Amino acid sequence: MDWGLQGKTAVVTGASQGIGLAIARTLAAEGVGIVIVGRTPERLAHAAKVARDAVPASIAPQIHPLVADLSLLAEVDRVAEMALARLDHVDILVNSAAATRTGPFFEASDEDLVETWQVKALGYVRMVRALAPHMTERREGRIVNIVGGAARTPTPDFIVGSMVNAALVNFTRGISRELAQYNVRINAISPGWTMTERQERSFALQAAARHVSVDELERQQTRSIPLRRLVASDEIALLTLMLISDRLPSMTGEDIVIDGGATPSV
Protein backbone atom coordinates (compact mmCIF):
# COMPACT_ATOMS: atom_id res chain seq x y z
CA MET A 1 0.00 0.00 0.00
CA ASP A 2 1.25 3.48 -0.87
CA TRP A 3 0.86 5.58 2.27
CA GLY A 4 1.84 8.78 0.45
CA LEU A 5 4.72 9.51 2.82
CA GLN A 6 7.70 9.58 0.49
CA GLY A 7 9.55 12.86 0.87
CA LYS A 8 8.01 13.61 4.29
CA THR A 9 10.21 14.31 7.31
CA ALA A 10 9.96 13.04 10.88
CA VAL A 11 11.45 13.08 14.35
CA VAL A 12 11.21 9.79 16.25
CA THR A 13 12.26 9.74 19.89
CA GLY A 14 13.15 6.59 21.78
CA ALA A 15 14.25 5.20 18.43
CA SER A 16 17.31 3.26 19.53
CA GLN A 17 15.33 0.12 20.36
CA GLY A 18 11.92 -1.52 20.64
CA ILE A 19 8.82 0.22 19.33
CA GLY A 20 10.67 3.43 18.45
CA LEU A 21 13.17 1.53 16.32
CA ALA A 22 10.39 -0.41 14.57
CA ILE A 23 8.67 2.87 13.74
CA ALA A 24 11.88 4.50 12.49
CA ARG A 25 12.63 1.48 10.27
CA THR A 26 9.11 1.47 8.87
CA LEU A 27 9.14 5.19 8.13
CA ALA A 28 12.52 4.91 6.41
CA ALA A 29 11.14 2.14 4.20
CA GLU A 30 8.38 4.55 3.14
CA GLY A 31 10.91 7.18 2.07
CA VAL A 32 10.58 9.45 5.10
CA GLY A 33 13.62 11.48 6.13
CA ILE A 34 14.15 10.99 9.87
CA VAL A 35 15.98 12.36 12.86
CA ILE A 36 16.13 9.42 15.28
CA VAL A 37 16.72 10.30 18.91
CA GLY A 38 18.09 8.15 21.73
CA ARG A 39 20.27 8.35 24.80
CA THR A 40 22.81 5.61 24.05
CA PRO A 41 25.27 6.32 21.22
CA GLU A 42 26.02 2.67 20.42
CA ARG A 43 22.37 1.65 20.25
CA LEU A 44 21.51 4.72 18.25
CA ALA A 45 24.24 4.02 15.70
CA HIS A 46 22.86 0.49 15.30
CA ALA A 47 19.32 1.89 14.92
CA ALA A 48 20.50 4.25 12.19
CA LYS A 49 22.02 1.31 10.31
CA VAL A 50 18.80 -0.70 10.67
CA ALA A 51 16.77 2.24 9.34
CA ARG A 52 19.13 2.81 6.41
CA ASP A 53 19.07 -0.89 5.54
CA ALA A 54 15.28 -0.71 5.29
CA VAL A 55 15.36 1.99 2.62
CA PRO A 56 14.57 0.73 -0.91
CA ALA A 57 17.30 1.30 -3.47
CA SER A 58 15.03 3.57 -5.50
CA ILE A 59 14.79 6.20 -2.77
CA ALA A 60 17.32 7.75 -0.41
CA PRO A 61 15.76 9.56 2.54
CA GLN A 62 18.07 11.12 5.09
CA ILE A 63 18.58 9.28 8.38
CA HIS A 64 20.14 11.44 11.12
CA PRO A 65 20.92 9.87 14.52
CA LEU A 66 20.93 12.38 17.37
CA VAL A 67 22.02 11.51 20.91
CA ALA A 68 19.99 13.44 23.48
CA ASP A 69 18.56 13.14 26.98
CA LEU A 70 14.95 14.26 26.69
CA SER A 71 14.56 14.57 30.45
CA LEU A 72 16.31 17.95 30.06
CA LEU A 73 14.52 20.95 28.57
CA ALA A 74 17.70 22.24 26.92
CA GLU A 75 18.15 18.88 25.15
CA VAL A 76 14.58 18.95 23.84
CA ASP A 77 15.16 22.42 22.42
CA ARG A 78 18.43 21.24 20.87
CA VAL A 79 16.70 18.26 19.21
CA ALA A 80 14.05 20.55 17.71
CA GLU A 81 16.64 23.04 16.50
CA MET A 82 18.88 20.41 14.93
CA ALA A 83 15.95 18.52 13.37
CA LEU A 84 14.76 21.68 11.65
CA ALA A 85 18.30 22.46 10.52
CA ARG A 86 18.89 18.99 9.06
CA LEU A 87 15.44 18.32 7.62
CA ASP A 88 14.43 21.91 6.79
CA HIS A 89 10.99 21.24 8.24
CA VAL A 90 9.28 18.52 10.29
CA ASP A 91 6.03 16.94 9.09
CA ILE A 92 5.79 14.18 11.68
CA LEU A 93 6.67 13.75 15.36
CA VAL A 94 6.55 10.34 17.02
CA ASN A 95 7.18 10.35 20.78
CA SER A 96 8.33 6.93 21.93
CA ALA A 97 10.97 7.60 24.60
CA ALA A 98 10.46 6.08 28.04
CA ALA A 99 12.27 5.37 31.28
CA THR A 100 9.58 3.75 33.36
CA ARG A 101 10.51 1.86 36.49
CA THR A 102 8.73 -1.42 37.20
CA GLY A 103 8.35 -2.74 40.72
CA PRO A 104 6.52 -2.16 44.02
CA PHE A 105 5.51 1.49 44.42
CA PHE A 106 6.88 1.89 47.94
CA GLU A 107 10.28 0.63 46.84
CA ALA A 108 10.65 3.36 44.23
CA SER A 109 12.93 6.23 45.14
CA ASP A 110 12.02 9.85 44.59
CA GLU A 111 14.63 9.90 41.80
CA ASP A 112 12.78 7.03 40.08
CA LEU A 113 9.54 9.01 40.15
CA VAL A 114 11.13 12.20 38.88
CA GLU A 115 12.97 10.42 36.04
CA THR A 116 9.80 8.74 34.82
CA TRP A 117 7.91 12.05 34.71
CA GLN A 118 10.79 13.96 33.16
CA VAL A 119 11.64 11.48 30.39
CA LYS A 120 8.17 10.41 29.31
CA ALA A 121 5.58 12.92 30.47
CA LEU A 122 7.61 16.12 30.21
CA GLY A 123 9.68 14.73 27.33
CA TYR A 124 6.57 14.17 25.20
CA VAL A 125 4.92 17.45 26.17
CA ARG A 126 8.08 19.45 25.57
CA MET A 127 8.71 17.85 22.18
CA VAL A 128 5.17 18.76 21.12
CA ARG A 129 5.65 22.29 22.44
CA ALA A 130 8.96 22.60 20.57
CA LEU A 131 7.82 21.31 17.17
CA ALA A 132 4.08 21.93 16.95
CA PRO A 133 4.48 25.71 16.36
CA HIS A 134 6.45 24.95 13.19
CA MET A 135 3.69 22.61 12.07
CA THR A 136 0.93 25.12 12.83
CA GLU A 137 2.81 27.80 10.91
CA ARG A 138 2.88 25.51 7.86
CA ARG A 139 -0.69 24.35 8.61
CA GLU A 140 0.36 20.73 8.26
CA GLY A 141 1.56 18.16 10.78
CA ARG A 142 1.06 14.75 12.35
CA ILE A 143 1.97 13.74 15.92
CA VAL A 144 1.76 10.28 17.49
CA ASN A 145 2.39 9.64 21.18
CA ILE A 146 3.24 6.04 22.10
CA VAL A 147 1.63 5.77 25.52
CA GLY A 148 0.54 2.41 27.01
CA GLY A 149 -2.46 0.37 28.04
CA ALA A 150 -1.62 0.87 31.71
CA ALA A 151 -3.20 4.33 31.42
CA ARG A 152 -6.54 2.48 31.77
CA THR A 153 -5.59 -0.55 33.84
CA PRO A 154 -2.92 0.27 36.44
CA THR A 155 -1.21 -2.61 38.20
CA PRO A 156 0.52 -2.58 41.61
CA ASP A 157 3.99 -2.92 40.07
CA PHE A 158 3.47 -0.19 37.44
CA ILE A 159 1.70 2.62 39.27
CA VAL A 160 4.05 5.45 38.30
CA GLY A 161 4.05 4.40 34.65
CA SER A 162 0.25 4.20 34.73
CA MET A 163 0.03 7.74 36.11
CA VAL A 164 2.30 9.08 33.38
CA ASN A 165 0.40 7.22 30.67
CA ALA A 166 -2.95 8.54 31.88
CA ALA A 167 -1.57 12.08 31.89
CA LEU A 168 -0.32 11.71 28.32
CA VAL A 169 -3.65 10.37 27.05
CA ASN A 170 -5.36 13.42 28.54
CA PHE A 171 -2.71 15.74 27.12
CA THR A 172 -3.19 14.21 23.67
CA ARG A 173 -6.94 14.67 23.82
CA GLY A 174 -6.74 18.13 25.31
CA ILE A 175 -4.22 19.65 22.88
CA SER A 176 -5.87 18.08 19.81
CA ARG A 177 -8.58 20.76 19.65
CA GLU A 178 -6.08 23.59 19.64
CA LEU A 179 -3.95 21.95 16.96
CA ALA A 180 -6.88 20.91 14.77
CA GLN A 181 -7.57 24.47 13.63
CA TYR A 182 -4.12 24.43 11.98
CA ASN A 183 -4.57 21.02 10.31
CA VAL A 184 -2.22 19.37 12.80
CA ARG A 185 -3.48 15.99 14.00
CA ILE A 186 -2.30 14.33 17.21
CA ASN A 187 -3.19 10.82 18.37
CA ALA A 188 -1.95 8.30 20.91
CA ILE A 189 -1.30 4.57 20.63
CA SER A 190 -1.50 2.48 23.79
CA PRO A 191 0.16 -0.90 23.29
CA GLY A 192 -0.40 -3.77 25.66
CA TRP A 193 2.37 -6.22 26.49
CA THR A 194 4.83 -5.77 23.63
CA MET A 195 7.90 -7.95 23.37
CA THR A 196 10.81 -5.51 23.29
CA GLU A 197 14.14 -5.35 25.12
CA ARG A 198 12.57 -3.00 27.66
CA GLN A 199 9.67 -5.41 28.17
CA GLU A 200 12.08 -8.29 28.70
CA ARG A 201 13.83 -6.27 31.43
CA SER A 202 10.46 -5.40 32.93
CA PHE A 203 9.44 -9.07 32.95
CA ALA A 204 12.66 -9.93 34.77
CA LEU A 205 11.98 -7.35 37.49
CA GLN A 206 8.33 -8.36 37.86
CA ALA A 207 9.20 -12.05 37.96
CA ALA A 208 11.67 -11.42 40.76
CA ALA A 209 9.08 -9.37 42.69
CA ARG A 210 6.49 -12.14 42.30
CA HIS A 211 8.98 -14.94 42.99
CA VAL A 212 8.34 -16.76 39.71
CA SER A 213 10.50 -17.45 36.65
CA VAL A 214 10.49 -15.09 33.69
CA ASP A 215 9.07 -17.86 31.49
CA GLU A 216 6.25 -18.49 33.94
CA LEU A 217 5.43 -14.79 34.16
CA GLU A 218 5.32 -14.52 30.37
CA ARG A 219 3.00 -17.54 30.21
CA GLN A 220 0.74 -15.94 32.83
CA GLN A 221 0.58 -12.66 30.94
CA THR A 222 -0.07 -14.39 27.63
CA ARG A 223 -2.91 -16.46 29.14
CA SER A 224 -4.53 -13.21 30.36
CA ILE A 225 -4.75 -11.90 26.78
CA PRO A 226 -7.85 -13.05 24.86
CA LEU A 227 -5.87 -13.47 21.62
CA ARG A 228 -3.15 -15.34 23.56
CA ARG A 229 -0.27 -13.38 22.04
CA LEU A 230 1.92 -10.41 22.90
CA VAL A 231 1.89 -7.38 20.62
CA ALA A 232 4.68 -7.12 18.02
CA SER A 233 6.54 -3.83 17.57
CA ASP A 234 5.82 -3.93 13.85
CA GLU A 235 2.08 -3.80 14.61
CA ILE A 236 2.59 -0.50 16.41
CA ALA A 237 4.68 0.77 13.49
CA LEU A 238 1.93 -0.11 11.01
CA LEU A 239 -0.71 1.64 13.12
CA THR A 240 1.57 4.68 13.28
CA LEU A 241 1.73 4.71 9.47
CA MET A 242 -2.04 4.77 9.30
CA LEU A 243 -2.30 7.68 11.72
CA ILE A 244 0.30 9.87 10.05
CA SER A 245 -0.93 9.17 6.53
CA ASP A 246 -3.92 10.85 4.90
CA ARG A 247 -5.89 7.59 4.95
CA LEU A 248 -7.59 8.70 8.20
CA PRO A 249 -7.82 12.48 7.77
CA SER A 250 -10.59 12.94 10.36
CA MET A 251 -8.87 11.16 13.26
CA THR A 252 -7.37 13.32 15.98
CA GLY A 253 -7.36 13.35 19.77
CA GLU A 254 -7.80 9.58 19.93
CA ASP A 255 -6.05 6.94 22.00
CA ILE A 256 -6.00 3.59 20.20
CA VAL A 257 -5.44 0.51 22.35
CA ILE A 258 -3.74 -2.48 20.72
CA ASP A 259 -3.36 -5.25 23.26
CA GLY A 260 -4.95 -8.44 21.98
CA GLY A 261 -8.24 -7.60 23.66
CA ALA A 262 -6.81 -7.48 27.18
CA THR A 263 -8.12 -4.10 28.33
CA PRO A 264 -11.49 -4.51 30.11
CA SER A 265 -12.83 -0.99 29.60
CA VAL A 266 -15.14 1.01 27.37
Side-chain angles (χ1 to χ4, degrees):
M1 180 180 292
D2 181 7
W3 296 99
L5 296 173
Q6 186 169 341
K8 299 288 187 180
T9 59
V11 174
V12 181
T13 72
S16 61
Q17 60 180 322
I19 293 172
L21 175 53
I23 292 170
R25 182 183 67 243
T26 301
L27 291 182
E30 294 295 323
V32 178
I34 317 172
V35 167
I36 58 174
V37 185
R39 289 197 288 185
T40 307
E42 296 79 13
R43 283 183 173 174
L44 197 60
H46 171 71
K49 181 181 183 305
V50 170
R52 291 188 183 108
D53 288 346
V55 177
S58 59
I59 55 178
Q62 304 177 69
I63 310 295
H64 301 284
L66 181 56
V67 177
D69 181 353
L70 298 183
S71 68
L72 305 173
L73 175 58
E75 289 284 270
V76 171
D77 291 339
R78 182 174 68 88
V79 168
E81 180 181 350
M82 296 190 71
L84 290 167
R86 294 180 180 182
L87 300 173
D88 181 57
H89 65 277
V90 175
D91 298 304
I92 301 156
L93 167 63
V94 180
N95 282 312
S96 185
T100 304
R101 184 188 187 278
T102 300
F105 174 76
F106 290 105
E107 292 181 10
S109 67
D110 195 61
E111 289 74 16
D112 292 329
L113 307 184
V114 170
E115 182 185 21
T116 300
W117 279 98
Q118 285 182 328
V119 173
K120 191 165 186 180
L122 288 180
Y124 281 30
V125 170
R126 286 167 171 168
M127 284 300 305
V128 171
R129 190 172 62 178
L131 289 175
H134 303 280
M135 296 178 178
T136 59
E137 184 177 352
R138 299 178 64 246
R139 305 190 77 83
E140 180 77 21
R142 307 290 179 261
I143 302 170
V144 175
N145 292 327
I146 306 301
V147 184
R152 288 175 170 79
T153 53
T155 57
D157 49 12
F158 199 64
I159 290 177
V160 178
S162 302
M163 293 163 56
V164 169
N165 288 348
L168 286 172
V169 168
N170 276 277
F171 167 70
T172 301
R173 289 174 173 157
I175 201 66
S176 66
R177 283 180 171 267
E178 184 172 347
L179 295 176
Q181 60 187 313
Y182 302 103
N183 192 37
V184 176
R185 294 193 284 109
I186 180 170
N187 291 286
I189 298 174
S190 286
W193 298 101
T194 307
M195 190 44 67
T196 62
E197 292 180 23
R198 181 179 289 117
Q199 186 62 72
E200 290 175 354
R201 292 193 296 270
S202 177
F203 272 160
L205 291 171
Q206 292 180 65
R210 300 180 189 184
H211 306 292
V212 298
S213 69
V214 174
D215 288 343
E216 176 56 28
L217 177 64
E218 186 174 337
R219 283 193 293 270
Q220 291 175 9
Q221 297 297 346
T222 303
R223 285 196 297 268
S224 71
I225 300 171
L227 286 178
R228 297 293 192 270
R229 64 186 305 275
L230 301 181
V231 181
S233 295
D234 286 343
E235 295 180 73
I236 310 303
L238 178 59
L239 185 52
T240 301
L241 280 186
M242 293 178 64
L243 292 174
I244 63 176
S245 75
D246 288 329
R247 299 279 177 172
L248 299 170
S250 299
M251 181 169 285
T252 193
E254 296 298 327
D255 174 40
I256 303 175
V257 177
I258 175 169
D259 64 357
T263 301
S265 65
V266 175

